[in-house]
Amino acid sequence: MEIQPSSNNQRSLPWWAILMLILLTGVSLRVADLTADLPGYFASKSQDLTTDGSFLTLYARNQIEQGSWDPLGYTPWREFKLSLVTGVSYLTYTTIGVSRYASNLVGVILSAVGLILFLFALAPSLSRRGMAYASVALAVSYPLIIYSRTPLSENSLIFFLGLIYLVLSRFSRFWWGILLAGALAALAGLLGKSSGFLLLGPLLIVTLARSENRTRSSLLVVASFLTASLVYSLLFLGERGLLQFILAHTVAQPGAPVGLSSPIGFIETIISFGRSRIHQLAPVESLLAYLGVLSVILRGMPRTELARTALLFNLGLVLLWILGIAPFNYLPMRYALLILPSLTALGALWLDRDESQARVTLRQIGWSRRLALLLLNWYLLFVLANSLISETMVYDVIQRQVWYALAGAVLVTIIQLLITGKLSNLFSASYRGWLMPACVVAVIAISSWQVGSWWGRRTHTIDEAVRDIAAVVGKDAAIGGPYGPVLADGNGRQGFPLFIAEDFDKSRDILKKYGVTHLALLNEDWQRLQSTIPEMRKSSVVAKYWLRDNTIVLVRVAGLFGGSAATYKMSSYELALLATEHGDNNTALALLQSAMAEYPDAKSPAISYYHLSVTPQSIAGLEPTIQRLLAANGSDFTINLLAAVYYRHLAQISGANQYSDRAEQLRAEAVRLCPENETVVQNGFQHYDPTVRILQ
């Protein structure tokens, strides 16, 4: 029999109090030190966690700070402006003001509300035991915590997922509930992200599986989905049209999709969906979901309608999401994020399922179910191979792992079929007393270790750079490039949503027309542009930053391409750099002192002042400048390395042991903050030169 939700009213208040405590714990984990850099483990070649959220909140910031959604008249990214993130960020900014904290809070609001709605939708189909596991797993999930701390569109999808599931579970017996669910699936793709259109799939699976009014309900879902899409297209997309909107967000991926090139390629990408690493960071949720799907294959669907609806919706979402997302070449972890709530639900439903029913024999397992079992094991074995043997995103290696995993999956499936009876009763009712608490403890322990590993050496390099930009560029600066919007987040400067095109002629026209004064981009991209674009060789490097896990270059391009940017008025800091280039150090020092007085916590003016002033005779008097840099930018490993080099040189010329000890402490701190660059730190410290800049 299926375990039913408890109806003991005398104990409902303490239970809901416990549930609220769990949810509050989850929210607290998300808002604690909300401006801290996200961990480098989540880094990918796109730098999405650093850059992408600011592209979505940029328009609301423009409206609040400058009175216009598009102050420069640049409109190609209309879908960024017409998004749920823009609406929520506008409300957040008007309530608590514009800042990086407010921007990141938008992600927390969308994700947390979506997960709470999801739990409310799931609750009727679970006992308190299953609900306790689901709420704890979603509250402390490391990937969900990390990705909620930035305003990515994936958090919009989590919100729509929770809302759609709630409408389906509570109101789908009413015609208006069906219509609303279909319309919300369309809005998930239009206001969230185009992949949100896939949420139509589990809606149709549930409506088609029902015995009553299945045809009518399915037609209502499709009709409302199409109507909402058409109305939105007519009102907001104009000449571009819905089809172009969808193509721009699906086909326009890096390279031709391998998964759509051949049937073999399709199978390889589907089985290798775990290359996104989502299962590695959620091992308990993934294992319990595997056991839940295994139970369905061996024993069939749950008996109660509530449990069947919950299983169909969440299993359908996981399968359709993998089928819809995996074939494309680019698969960062955030693209897989939406399956985590449903994986958790599948595990919770399995924990509630009584496995002590009649034994299942091999003859009862048809060939279609045997094939499903093989595919499930194949997927599992690939995840294990990619996690334990060779974690990689290189597709040639992934291909080999896929086919090696098939051999193991065949063996595992044969063994499972031979012991079908024992396997189907593996976790009978006698185990239920300890199984759920053990899973909860395991989830908490793993998440605590994951969060703690990041928390112990978290940095604030983005926040420090945003603060520094106010001192580095003038008030009428417009900062383009992939890092432009994030560097302008909260300091009143204008960010410009420009990705530098491979065909630079397109970017040249944009830079001229829209008055972009600066570009913020990866150092290697800057080097490439310098070597290929004649105008770029005349630009000036204004500042360099280490953001999370990459060196970012800020260069001034004002005047290089004509247009309104030619009238840009440089900041005191930029004028100081210009004076230095002309050999007028006295003027440069005076301008830098002015910038330091106006922006006491900024790092670039203080670093430039230090390097311009340092001599064997003056180095001892520059200790206040070094201490000032450490006090305001202590989480930047480059600042700690600069200070370590300074104190080592001071120890050499003074012979004082306290300076030597201080140098060693700062060197160790630089390594702790950025162990990925330990070689850089050690080389810089061993071959020290207090006059040489750390980021060359």
Side-chain angles (χ1 to χ4, degrees), residues 15-30 116 119 128 131-140 440 444:
W15 162 244
W16 284 107
I18 293 172
L19 184 60
M20 289 303 298
L21 181 61
I22 293 171
L23 297 179
L24 287 173
T25 300
V27 173
S28 299
L29 289 171
R30 287 157 171 80
I116 290 171
L119 285 171
R128 290 182 179 177
M131 192 64 180
Y133 162 74
S135 57
V136 169
L138 293 179
V140 304
V440 168
I444 293 175

Side-chain angles (χ1 to χ4, degrees), residues 62-220:
N62 288 341
Q63 180 63 24
I64 296 296
E65 293 181 332
Q66 303 185 43
S68 172
W69 300 100
D70 302 294
L72 298 179
Y74 186 64
T75 60
W77 299 104
R78 293 186 63 193
E79 58 269 28
F80 287 175
K81 181 170 67 174
L82 300 173
S83 68
L84 183 61
V85 170
T86 294
V88 175
S89 58
Y90 179 79
L91 294 175
T92 304
Y93 292 150
T94 56
T95 303
I96 64 175
V98 177
S99 65
R100 278 201 70 244
Y101 179 91
S103 297
N104 292 340
L105 185 62
V106 171
V108 173
I109 292 171
L110 288 170
S111 177
V113 172
L115 292 175
I116 290 171
L117 293 175
F118 185 88
L119 285 171
F120 273 111
L122 187 63
S125 55
L126 293 178
S127 70
R128 290 182 179 177
R129 179 176 64 204
M131 192 64 180
Y133 162 74
S135 57
V136 169
L138 293 179
V140 304
S141 167
Y142 184 50
L144 289 173
I145 288 172
I146 293 302
Y147 281 102
S148 73
R149 296 168 66 91
T150 187
L152 293 169
S153 53
E154 280 72 18
N155 292 312
S156 298
L157 294 184
I158 290 176
F159 172 82
F160 278 113
L161 169 64
L163 187 57
I164 290 169
Y165 188 24
L166 183 65
V167 170
L168 177 70
S169 65
R170 302 297 177 96
F171 307 113
S172 61
R173 294 300 179 186
F174 305 101
W175 65 268
W176 59 266
I178 291 291
L179 290 175
L180 179 58
L184 287 172
L187 293 177
L190 294 165
L191 296 180
K193 194 169 187 174
S194 57
S195 54
F197 289 128
L198 293 172
L199 291 174
L200 176 66
L203 282 177
L204 287 175
I205 290 174
V206 171
T207 54
L208 288 171
R210 285 177 172 169
S211 57
E212 300 177 0
N213 300 322
R214 67 176 67 184
T215 302
R216 174 177 173 271
S217 296
S218 300
L219 289 175
L220 285 175

Side-chain angles (χ1 to χ4, degrees), residues 67 69 78 94 97 112 158 187 199 226 234 251 275 321 359 440 487 500 556 587 616 620 673 677:
W69 300 100
R78 293 186 63 193
T94 56
I158 290 176
L187 293 177
L199 291 174
L226 294 176
L234 293 174
V251 177
R275 67 188 187 275
W321 200 261
R359 293 169 62 90
V440 168
L487 290 179
I500 304 300
R556 185 174 62 251
T587 299
L673 289 169
N677 278 317

Side-chain angles (χ1 to χ4, degrees), residues 7 24 125 164 172 185 201 229 270 300 307 319 424 461 479 489 526 653 674:
S7 59
L24 287 173
S125 55
I164 290 169
S172 61
S229 300
I270 296 303
L319 292 177
S424 60
T461 58
I479 308 173
D489 193 353
W526 161 240
I653 63 177
C674 194

Side-chain angles (χ1 to χ4, degrees), residues 467-547:
R467 184 176 64 226
D468 189 60
I469 286 292
V472 166
V473 301
K475 290 182 171 56
D476 59 342
I479 308 173
Y483 292 84
V486 69
L487 290 179
D489 193 353
N491 54 28
R493 301 307 186 261
Q494 173 67 54
F496 188 78
L498 173 65
F499 292 99
I500 304 300
E502 290 293 331
D503 180 3
F504 190 77
D505 287 339
K506 297 179 181 178
S507 298
R508 181 185 282 108
D509 294 339
I510 293 172
L511 292 170
K512 178 180 179 181
K513 181 177 180 181
Y514 295 101
V516 176
T517 62
H518 297 77
L519 291 177
L521 62 169
L522 287 171
N523 187 51
E524 50 264 37
D525 290 340
W526 161 240
Q527 298 294 336
R528 175 178 56 82
L529 287 177
Q530 260 200 321
S531 64
T532 57
I533 309 303
E535 296 98 325
M536 287 296 180
R537 296 167 195 161
K538 302 176 184 178
S539 62
S540 300
V541 175
V542 177
K544 288 187 177 182
Y545 302 105
W546 177 264
L547 300 188

Side-chain angles (χ1 to χ4, degrees), residues 2 300 341 406 478 661:
E2 302 297 332
L406 176 59
D661 293 342

